[in-house]
Amino acid sequence: MSLLSITDLDVHYGDFQAIYGLDLHLNEGETLAVIGANGAGKSTLLKTISGLLTPTAGDIQFDGTSIARMPAHKRVPLGIALTPEGRRIFRSLTVEENLKVGAHTKRKGPWNLASVYEAFPLVADRRDRLGVNLSGGEQQAAAIGRALMSNPRLLLLDEVSLGLAPVVVEQIYAALPTITSQGTTVLVVEQDVNQSMRVADRVQCLLEGRTVLEGAPSTLTRDQVASAYFGI
Amino acid sequence: MQWLNAVIQGVLLGGLYALLAAGLSLMFGVMRIVNLAHGVLAVLAAYLGYVMVDSFDVPWFLAVLIVVPVMALIGYVLQWGLFNRALSKGGLAPLLVAFGLAVVLTQLLQEFFTADTRSIQIGSLGTNSIQISEDIYIGVFPIVTFVVGVLVIAGVQIFLNTAPLGRAMRAASDDPDTVKLMGIDNRQVYALSTALALATVGLAGMFIGMKTQFSPTYGDLVLIFAFEAVIIGGLGSLWGTLVGGIVLGVAQAVGNQINPAYGLLIGNLVFLAILAFRPQGLLPKAVTT
């Protein structure tokens, strides 16, 4: 049975429709990469799953319960955590305080300060620094650590690589196997196709709010992905 | 010696101003709400205390212990009933709602208690004093007020720095949307912040009621003093608010010493000078958002 099951989803920003009749299914323990160009609706999708946006039509089922109209803060205790676009680290809090805020729901599981520091040495080094004084890569690692502190069943990662040096992106993605080995289901959104093809069990490509290609990375050719990505 | 005396009295008065301003500073710091009803809420607390002490013979310290949680409850209800809705409308809505609340509350107090001045009787505590030197006497009540003011500021600051809820308040101040992604209902955090703020307002109102004569419109003066303390100290910083309160208190006391008519004037001039030459305040918050 699917952990996350999205059917016929429509999402609007005012009059502008960002997602059209989208279907998405994710099994427990699976890693899915949603790829697509700017404006494909990737971040909108994650905001809708986490509850920051409310869909205009369709349903989102999490572990058999409909969550489409549940407020964001009630979804975290169920085990949904989002690392948002732009990282959104709390600027006036230290890194460690950011992590502690992430653990607010006190969900039980493998993640705590010690295990996050072990998985992200970069975060451990900066634990006493204020959020406002972190580099982009440090912010990203801290934001993922903060999301893990709620011990999610489903981790949503939005544009992890955006604006970061390749070497930093690699450091951060190096922690992903540790996360998935705990049985955590991961939905990663990326513009960087190569990065996501490497880590994902399955790839779903969006174009202007609709799914245009879906499959395991090994079954997809470069040309297929390129034409789906750019819509040519 | 008179001048030293004036400075000492001013510092002690500053403790009261800091106590008055703590709630205003907290609500602005967490929610960016400029609570124009702050002063009249303090006066409301003073009237609650007055009724208990005057009509029901409740000892004043017991009245304090009752008024503080009652004001906290009022804060919680006000936040859910008025301010959370106003915040969702954005912009000036919370300011206008607070202004409306101030007008309505003032009128209601006029209706119930008339415009006559009252004060809360505390017996000999109000008149006892300690002799420091030949011609310097310090009142016991101003000392108690000062100590309570410093303890409240320190207590709220320690709470914000270390308690999980205090951390959530600072996080909500930084980024209310992202706080929801941590499983925290930012509106509930706001309601608890306002409850805490109004608990300090309740305490401040009781001390005003015990110190001086008040009437329903006295809140205007309270609001101005609280504002001046917050601005002088620096927005969003509680230690700054304490410093601001003391600067304002000393300025007023020294002004009084020059000429009893100049006290308020000099306080206001110091406030204007700070606004003109150091608008960020004496101890601004380290991180601005």
Side-chain angles (χ1 to χ4, degrees):
Chain A
M1 190 176 121
S2 303
L3 179 66
L4 181 72
S5 177
I6 297 176
T7 43
D8 212 14
L9 190 77
D10 284 356
V11 185
H12 289 76
Y13 288 100
D15 289 337
F16 173 73
Q17 185 160 5
I19 292 181
Y20 295 84
L22 186 85
D23 287 317
L24 184 149
H25 299 277
L26 190 50
N27 292 320
E28 182 118 49
E30 197 183 13
T31 300
L32 171 70
V34 172
I35 59 173
N38 243 340
K42 309 181 303 295
S43 292
T44 307
L45 174 66
L46 291 197
K47 281 183 189 162
T48 312
I49 299 172
S50 65
L52 291 179
L53 290 174
T54 313
T56 34
D59 195 22
I60 305 172
Q61 301 248 334
F62 182 73
D63 200 18
T65 331
S66 174
I67 57 164
R69 265 143 202 96
M70 184 185 275
H73 67 92
K74 289 196 177 149
R75 300 189 194 195
V76 185
L78 299 179
I80 301 179
L82 168 67
T83 302
E85 193 180 8
R87 294 96 195 204
R88 309 285 285 263
I89 286 294
F90 299 115
R91 296 153 50 90
S92 69
L93 273 60
T94 65
V95 168
E96 185 151 316
E97 286 179 327
N98 267 279
L99 296 180
K100 284 178 174 169
V101 173
H104 186 86
T105 55
K106 300 195 174 67
R107 255 180 75 88
K108 296 275 177 295
W111 294 102
N112 51 40
L113 281 178
S115 54
V116 166
Y117 286 151
E118 197 181 326
F120 295 99
L122 194 62
V123 178
D125 291 344
R126 300 285 183 266
R127 65 182 78 182
D128 295 323
R129 202 172 275 198
L130 288 181
V132 68
N133 297 330
L134 297 181
S135 71
E138 292 162 355
Q139 280 184 22
Q140 187 64 70
I144 296 174
R146 185 179 64 180
L148 288 172
M149 290 294 283
S150 68
N151 283 298
R153 290 175 72 185
L154 171 63
L155 177 64
L156 309 168
L157 298 173
D158 199 351
E159 302 279 13
V160 167
S161 63
L162 192 71
L164 300 183
V167 57
V168 180
V169 175
E170 233 158 85
Q171 269 179 40
I172 291 172
Y173 269 104
L176 202 57
T178 322
I179 298 169
T180 51
S181 70
Q182 308 280 1
T184 310
T185 311
V186 179
L187 200 172
V188 47
V189 149
E190 269 293 357
Q191 286 192 33
D192 182 341
V193 177
N194 291 330
Q195 189 59 257
S196 41
M197 299 276 271
R198 262 200 298 280
V199 298
D201 302 321
R202 203 152 51 80
V203 177
Q204 187 163 345
C205 184
L206 302 190
L207 180 72
E208 291 171 354
R210 296 177 178 88
T211 304
V212 283
L213 183 72
E214 206 176 339
S218 54
T219 66
L220 302 174
T221 68
R222 223 183 149 70
D223 287 346
Q224 271 179 314
V225 174
S227 66
Y229 192 97
F230 295 110
I232 45 174
Chain B
M1 223 37 154
Q2 301 168 4
W3 297 102
L4 180 63
N5 185 42
V7 169
I8 292 172
Q9 307 300 343
V11 169
L12 295 180
L13 184 61
L16 176 64
Y17 290 159
L19 181 59
L20 271 180
L24 194 69
S25 184
L26 185 65
M27 283 184 72
F28 183 82
V30 176
M31 297 168 279
R32 302 290 178 274
I33 289 180
V34 177
N35 182 14
L36 291 177
H38 183 83
V40 66
L41 283 165
V43 172
L44 171 70
Y47 273 106
L48 290 177
Y50 168 77
V51 169
M52 275 185 250
V53 174
D54 194 70
S55 307
F56 297 97
D57 287 329
V58 178
W60 65 267
F61 52 88
L62 197 57
V64 172
L65 292 181
I66 297 169
V67 165
V68 168
V70 167
M71 290 304 291
L73 185 66
I74 290 176
Y76 187 85
V77 172
L78 277 181
Q79 186 64 41
W80 273 113
L82 286 179
F83 289 127
N84 276 343
R85 292 156 195 257
L87 280 171
S88 69
K89 304 268 181 267
L92 285 174
L95 187 77
L96 294 174
V97 164
F99 179 67
L101 179 67
V103 171
V104 170
L105 272 180
T106 309
Q107 297 301 321
L108 283 176
L109 288 174
Q110 294 264 23
E111 193 62 35
F112 280 108
F113 296 103
T114 76
D116 295 347
T117 58
R118 325 267 164 151
S119 72
I120 301 169
Q121 297 306 316
I122 50 173
S124 59
L125 179 68
T127 49
N128 285 350
S129 61
I130 302 168
Q131 186 172 12
I132 300 293
S133 73
E134 203 176 325
D135 46 16
I136 297 182
Y137 291 86
I138 303 181
V140 173
F141 185 73
I143 294 175
V144 171
T145 314
F146 180 80
V147 170
V148 168
V150 173
L151 287 180
V152 164
I153 295 271
V156 173
Q157 190 65 63
I158 290 168
F159 171 80
L160 286 175
N161 286 347
T162 59
L165 179 59
R167 202 157 53 219
M169 286 175 184
R170 286 184 292 138
S173 163
D174 277 2
D175 190 339
D177 262 342
T178 305
V179 155
K180 296 179 202 162
L181 296 174
M182 309 293 122
I184 299 170
D185 185 355
N186 61 323
R187 295 164 307 167
Q188 176 69 2
V189 169
Y190 290 165
L192 293 170
S193 304
T194 304
L196 178 61
L198 284 214
T200 70
V201 169
L203 201 54
M206 285 302 288
F207 275 98
I208 291 169
M210 295 187 279
K211 174 185 182 287
T212 183
Q213 303 274 330
F214 59 92
S215 68
T217 52
Y218 193 75
D220 298 345
L221 202 59
V222 171
L223 180 66
I224 288 172
F225 290 162
F227 250 120
E228 291 184 340
V230 170
I231 303 285
I232 292 172
L235 280 172
S237 152
L238 281 167
W239 290 120
T241 299
L242 178 62
V243 172
I246 291 174
V247 167
L248 182 65
V250 170
Q252 289 184 358
V254 170
N256 267 328
Q257 188 63 43
I258 297 168
N259 181 328
Y262 287 174
L264 292 186
L265 177 65
I266 302 234
N268 292 338
L269 288 177
V270 167
F271 165 70
L272 284 177
I274 297 273
L275 262 189
F277 298 111
R278 198 176 156 81
Q280 73 273 37
L282 298 174
L283 294 182
K285 202 176 165 195
V287 178
T288 49
T289 46

